[in-house]
Amino acid sequence: QALVKRISMVRPQIEKAAHATRLAVFGDSLAVDLAKALERFYAEDPNLVVIGQGVGSSGFVRADYFDWDKAIGEQIAANSFDLAIVIMGINDRQDIGSYKALSEPWNAAYQARIADFLGQLRAARKPVIWVGLPPMAKGEYSTAMTQISNIQKLASFSGGAEFLDIYERFLGEDGKYSSY
């Protein structure tokens, strides 16, 4: 009986059109989750394919761990997507070289890294939607994510990307973090 119920909950696979728009979701673990949600949302749309390109624990600070400039260059060269969504930053509250995290020199270096990333997408004429960061449960961490998201917003505007601010959608009625 449980198996029958489980099978009935599975949606049938819809064959995607040969020339469906390929939407790639780039970023850290938030991108992994966003790609899964978009795959479910567009599961029955034959004209949109969601391609998850999220890499957990990645970001713009530690290119030695994962190099997003190299990765986006490879994806552009392979022409693997038509539209990019980016959500990243929860791992970026770290020093960049000798620059203390979230200091003025750090802010400039971080914005330059985002500009390089977006510059490749802009040169390739790939539309980009940059999703801002949500609030976090811990106050100090949430403040840092807000600062990082503000830098991303500025870089998005100057880099030709659309910026989607989701912060307020994750606040409770009291104006504070909400897990729902």
Side-chain angles (χ1 to χ4, degrees):
Q1 185 178 8
L3 179 61
V4 171
K5 185 176 181 181
R6 197 171 182 194
I7 291 171
S8 66
M9 291 174 58
V10 175
R11 289 184 176 174
Q13 289 291 328
I14 301 293
E15 187 172 338
K16 300 294 183 170
H19 298 288
T21 299
R22 300 164 300 159
L23 182 148
V25 184
F26 297 99
D28 53 31
S29 58
L30 291 177
V32 172
D33 292 338
L34 179 57
K36 289 177 186 175
L38 290 171
E39 284 172 357
R40 286 191 304 272
F41 189 81
Y42 290 105
E44 296 180 27
D45 185 339
N47 298 308
L48 187 78
V49 175
V50 177
I51 305 163
Q53 294 289 327
V55 177
S57 300
S58 69
F60 285 113
V61 171
R62 295 277 315 275
D64 61 316
Y65 174 75
F66 189 83
D67 187 341
W68 275 107
D69 280 337
K70 179 181 175 190
I72 199 66
E74 290 170 351
Q75 294 300 317
I76 290 169
N79 192 28
S80 66
F81 66 99
D82 303 307
L83 169 68
I85 293 182
V86 181
I87 183 166
M88 185 172 351
I90 61 173
N91 305 302
D92 286 346
R93 191 178 60 161
Q94 302 177 50
D95 295 349
I96 297 176
S98 63
Y99 302 142
K100 183 174 170 28
L102 307 175
S103 65
E104 283 302 315
W106 184 96
N107 292 351
Y110 189 74
Q111 188 166 349
R113 290 180 181 201
I114 296 170
D116 290 345
F117 179 84
L118 288 172
Q120 290 186 66
L121 290 161
R122 190 174 196 174
R125 299 184 177 273
K126 301 286 187 182
V128 179
I129 299 170
W130 195 292
V131 181
L133 299 172
M136 303 291 164
K138 294 185 179 180
E140 183 182 322
Y141 184 55
S142 192
T143 299
M145 294 303 103
T146 298
Q147 183 176 339
I148 289 170
S149 194
N150 286 337
I151 294 167
Q152 294 171 347
K153 183 188 299 185
L154 290 172
S156 294
F157 292 152
S158 62
E162 294 292 324
F163 185 84
L164 178 61
D165 191 344
I166 63 170
Y167 187 87
E168 289 188 8
R169 295 178 187 184
F170 289 90
L171 296 177
E173 291 180 13
D174 61 357
K176 296 181 181 176
Y177 168 82
S178 173
S179 58
Y180 297 97

